[in-house]
Amino acid sequence: MKRRIILKGTLLGLLALTVLWGIVGSGTVPASTAGDQGMYKNLKTFNEILDIIENNYVEEVEPQKVMEGAIQGMIRSLDPHSVYLSPEMYRELQVDTKGVFGGLGIEITMKNDVLTVVSPIEDTPAFIAGIKSDDRIVAIDGKSTQGMNIMEAVQKLRGPKGSEVTISVMREGLVKPKDYPIVRDIIKVRSVKYERMEGDIGYLRISSFNENTFDEVVKALKEMTSNKDPLKGLVVDLRNNPGGLLDQAVYVSDVFLKKGNIVSTKGRIPSSDKSYEARDDGNELSCPMAVLINRGSASASEIVAGALRDNGRALLVGTQTFGKGSVQAVIPLNDGSALKLTTAKYYTPNGTSIQATGILPDILVELIRTDKNGPEEKSAMLREKDLEGHLPGESGDTTDASAEGSSKKQDNQLKYAADLLKSWSVFEGMKTR
């Protein structure tokens, strides 16, 4: 088993960081800069407005409510992944990384100020009910979601097992919202599934990156290789994987790499600049690999795809990824609330930022959909560049790549990847003759 690397930071998943703010000096007050003077002026204006509201608004206001509204507005001006978390929201958030919670099983974000589904989690109530990527949730139990932030929505969507919640959805092709009554369940996110396919090709499906993902990947590989003929190829399926913990993405990448950079992060302050390197454990798989990606592959899954591709370890098959190339830190505050703040961008081993651009596959294969509960792929599917206020890509926001034609077999992307690996092994055998 790989020796674990100590990491700090999060992507779509959340890992709390403790940040100590200290002031160390010689007793003299630093000279104010022009920027400081501008900030003081703005704070004075803010206090004036707050005082006017408290004394002149038509009804008595709750200072805490007004302040939280001001904080939310300030954070909303940054990017869609930075958010203020009330104490209740912060407690709710800490549940996510455990991989077990009561709810529906959907990853959500904000698109044009509308609560939008990134992707349903496999085998959950939302997935079974037919919720799809890019569905716009316009109401929860009849209450409009307009003006509701993500964490407020999460609080309303989660609940005890067996309780019901109705979400009203708008999607392409609907003339009015469609109601989905869904019974909540305990969502035990099994992030890894695997099987040994025909022709000694291994299939490893990673649906998210939570605290257990690395251990589950190691177990899956052991099960697929113990007391059996060696694998002739491995397909790693990262389609519709919305991401998760940065450390888990690094550990999983390290499982397949003997050496080389996995990912680096860069921000405004030196502590945000980090680089993570692979270590040779002596038992990495040597068989060819293909990684399946699509528009729903985001964040941590993009790190794995980029690490394996840039190090020449795997070919990427499918379509362009989501393009979330930023890192968030969750900073606890004294009153039990927290600030989830974008603090850095990450870079693949060849130094590329995929923010708002995503990763292009080596072999472009559009999915031909034949199974209503299979992987989702469509031209209108949500990506990072579609989110209002997203951080711009360093080389501009690229247009979507597309491909024409592919096999009409069920899950043609998986079939293509498996056939590619089978052909690869045949070719390697021919070279040794």
Side-chain angles (χ1 to χ4, degrees):
M1 181 179 292
K2 290 280 182 183
R3 180 171 49 170
R4 298 204 176 187
I5 309 164
I6 303 300
L7 304 176
K8 293 181 180 179
T10 69
L11 294 143
L12 281 178
L14 301 159
L15 177 65
L17 301 181
T18 300
V19 179
L20 300 178
W21 296 97
I23 299 175
V24 180
S26 60
T28 59
V29 178
S32 297
T33 66
D36 292 333
Q37 295 295 337
M39 180 64 71
Y40 294 147
K41 182 179 179 180
N42 291 336
L43 287 174
K44 182 179 179 181
T45 302
F46 174 82
N47 285 332
E48 280 187 280
I49 293 172
L50 182 61
D51 186 62
I52 291 170
I53 290 173
E54 287 183 334
N55 291 293
N56 297 279
Y57 187 66
V58 64
E59 295 179 352
E60 188 174 351
V61 297
E62 298 178 28
Q64 180 67 23
K65 185 176 180 180
V66 174
M67 286 299 298
E68 285 196 7
I71 293 170
Q72 293 283 11
M74 177 171 58
I75 302 302
R76 194 174 290 122
S77 70
L78 301 177
D79 74 299
H81 306 296
S82 295
V83 64
Y84 168 76
L85 307 169
S86 68
E88 296 78 16
M89 292 177 184
Y90 182 35
R91 286 193 294 269
E92 198 74 43
L93 195 86
Q94 290 172 304
V95 175
D96 287 357
T97 62
K98 303 297 182 182
V100 180
F101 50 86
L104 307 183
I106 51 175
E107 296 281 348
I108 56 177
T109 189
M110 299 298 293
K111 178 182 178 182
N112 299 327
D113 290 329
V114 178
L115 197 65
T116 305
V117 177
V118 173
S119 66
I121 301 171
E122 292 179 10
D123 303 325
T124 62
F127 181 86
I128 295 169
I131 300 301
K132 301 177 183 294
S133 296
D134 211 27
D135 277 353
R136 289 159 286 163
I137 302 176
V138 297
I140 301 174
D141 282 335
K143 182 178 180 181
S144 172
T145 58
Q146 186 174 1
M148 190 181 295
N149 65 38
I150 291 176
M151 293 312 300
E152 289 171 335
V154 167
Q155 285 185 304
K156 293 182 180 299
L157 293 172
R158 285 186 180 167
K161 176 182 178 180
S163 60
E164 186 178 276
V165 60
T166 298
I167 60 175
S168 304
V169 163
M170 277 298 294
R171 69 166 65 112
E172 187 177 353
L174 293 180
V175 295
K176 64 178 182 179
K178 181 177 180 179
D179 290 341
Y180 283 87
I182 305 175
V183 177
R184 297 181 179 97
D185 200 354
I186 299 300
I187 309 300
K188 297 180 180 179
V189 180
R190 181 185 172 192
S191 65
V192 175
K193 296 180 181 179
Y194 61 94
E195 65 175 291
R196 196 170 173 119
M197 301 168 64
E198 181 184 355
D200 292 326
I201 302 297
Y203 174 75
L204 183 69
R205 165 68 181 153
I206 306 176
S207 59
S208 64
F209 288 89
N210 60 39
E211 289 180 352
N212 304 313
T213 303
F214 168 76
D215 292 332
E216 290 182 23
V217 166
V218 171
K219 179 182 177 182
L221 293 175
K222 184 177 180 180
E223 288 289 329
M224 283 193 287
T225 56
S226 295
N227 302 318
K228 298 181 179 72
D229 292 333
L231 289 176
K232 294 180 180 178
L234 177 68
V235 178
V236 178
D237 190 350
L238 298 177
R239 292 174 297 177
N240 295 332
N241 180 324
L245 296 173
L246 171 59
D247 63 346
Q248 295 294 309
V250 172
Y251 300 151
V252 169
S253 299
D254 197 17
V255 167
F256 303 107
L257 296 172
K258 288 182 176 292
K259 63 180 181 178
N261 177 255
I262 294 173
V263 68
S264 59
T265 63
K266 297 178 183 178
R268 285 179 59 200
I269 58 176
S271 61
S272 297
D273 297 347
K274 296 182 175 66
S275 182
Y276 306 107
E277 305 294 322
R279 302 181 184 184
D280 186 356
D281 197 39
N283 59 0
E284 290 86 357
L285 287 178
S286 59
C287 63
M289 290 177 59
V291 177
L292 292 175
I293 55 174
N294 69 358
R295 296 168 186 264
S297 305
S299 198
S301 57
E302 291 175 289
I303 284 180
V304 175
L308 297 183
R309 196 263 295 279
D310 286 3
N311 282 288
R313 186 63 188 90
L315 287 175
L316 306 186
V317 177
T319 56
Q320 191 173 6
T321 61
F322 185 82
K324 183 180 182 293
S326 60
V327 180
Q328 283 70 47
V330 179
I331 305 168
L333 304 176
N334 290 333
D335 64 351
S337 63
L339 178 63
K340 182 165 78 80
L341 187 68
T342 298
T343 56
K345 290 182 180 180
Y346 73 77
Y347 297 79
T348 64
N350 66 10
T352 301
S353 168
I354 58 90
Q355 172 61 26
T357 62
I359 297 176
L360 289 170
D362 298 300
I363 304 174
L364 200 58
V365 180
E366 295 276 7
L367 179 74
I368 296 177
R369 185 71 180 272
T370 59
D371 177 5
K372 70 176 183 177
N373 283 331
E376 182 76 11
E377 186 70 69
K378 57 186 179 180
S379 60
M381 193 169 172
L382 182 70
R383 290 186 57 227
E384 171 80 5
K385 70 183 184 65
D386 301 317
L387 303 182
E388 184 177 359
H390 71 270
L391 295 175
E394 297 191 357
S395 57
D397 296 355
T398 62
T399 56
D400 293 339
S402 61
E404 294 182 0
S406 55
S407 170
K408 291 188 177 181
K409 298 290 185 179
Q410 186 175 15
D411 199 348
N412 60 295
Q413 290 175 325
L414 174 57
K415 183 180 185 302
Y416 188 102
D419 288 346
L420 175 68
L421 294 175
K422 291 175 187 176
S423 301
W424 194 331
S425 62
V426 170
F427 177 71
E428 289 295 312
M430 291 175 62
K431 289 200 302 184
T432 60
R433 292 177 186 173

